[in-house]
């Protein structure tokens, strides 16, 4: 099983106080970022990823989520990893990397392996120093990911998107409720205590014509 969480002896009693155990465990297992444990927890809780699936990963750099997803979908799956920044991590022959801005890339440019079984977005803005501006940008990235899912996610498919907590959270959750039968909000254990992020998980994408 990929991405083994920190062992009981490594893991602090309160991971929010000493989150470095997650960073060390990620590096020890060859993942570039501790964020892998967030996806691993979401996967474990909602049974997200399976062999043979087609996955779109938006905001994929430096590559931990894509590495994890590529292992879970195996050689029979397909993965498209997209980020503004270059991605140097290797995900295997089932993966293709696109460097670009998800806000301006067309849905066609993201459709290489569509329809997708899973759309992931861990996209986050570079922090600007303004909490309000960062929240607004995070909402924009989240809503773009939902729009991409609306265009490219298969009926029955699943969505995971990161958003910074703000007044817009309810609008974001409603947009996902419009798309998926079941919506959950998850704040994984590996999230830093100071972080304002939360993940909205949409399960069972509604069939076309059944949204709303
Ligand atoms: C928290 S990191 C993602 C970490 C990644 N999931 C991993 O496990 O390695 C957020 C990423 O979102 C990307 N990002 C932010 N805005 C973006 C945009 N408009 N289009 C594509 N990627 C974007 C950033 O470049 C950054 O690499």
């Amino acid at each position: 099983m990929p991405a083994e969480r920190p062992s009981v002896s490594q893991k602090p009693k309160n991971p929010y106080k000493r989150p470095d155990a997650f960073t060390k465990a990620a590096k020890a297992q060859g993942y570039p970022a501790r964020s892998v444990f967030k996806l691993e927890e979401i996967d474990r809780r909602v049974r997200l990823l399976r062999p043979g699936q087609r996955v779109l990963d938006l905001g994929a750099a430096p590559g931990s989520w894509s590495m994890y997803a590529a292992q879970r979908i195996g050689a029979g799956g397909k993965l498209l990893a997209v980020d503004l920044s270059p991605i140097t991590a290797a995900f295997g022959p089932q993966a293709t990397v696109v460097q670009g801005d998800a806000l301006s890339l067309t849905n066609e440019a993201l459709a290489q392996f569509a329809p997708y079984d899973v759309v992931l977005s861990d996209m986050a803005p570079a922090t600007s120093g303004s909490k309000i501006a960062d929240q607004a940008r995070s909402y924009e990235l989240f809503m773009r990911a939902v729009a991409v899912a609306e265009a490219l996610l298969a009926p029955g498919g699943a969505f995971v998107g990161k958003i910074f907590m703000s007044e817009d959270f309810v609008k974001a959750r409603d947009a996902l409720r419009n798309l998926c039968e079941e919506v959950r909000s998850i704040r994984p254990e590996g999230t830093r205590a100071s972080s304002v992020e939360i993940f909205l998980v949409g399960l069972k994408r509604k069939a076309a014509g059944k949204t709303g």
Side-chain angles (χ1 to χ4, degrees), residues 32-36 38 57-66 82-85 100-105 121-126 137 141 162 197:
R34 69 203 295 287
S35 54
V36 66
K38 300 176 194 173
D57 184 10
L58 300 171
S64 287
W65 278 30
S66 280
V82 180
D83 204 286
L84 284 172
S85 303
D101 184 343
L103 294 173
S104 53
L105 284 167
S121 172
D122 195 21
M123 288 192 288
R137 188 75 173 162
L141 291 168
K162 176 157 81 184
E197 73 186 28

Side-chain angles (χ1 to χ4, degrees), residues 98-111:
V98 169
Q99 187 181 353
D101 184 343
L103 294 173
S104 53
L105 284 167
T106 62
N107 289 344
E108 289 69 31
L110 300 171

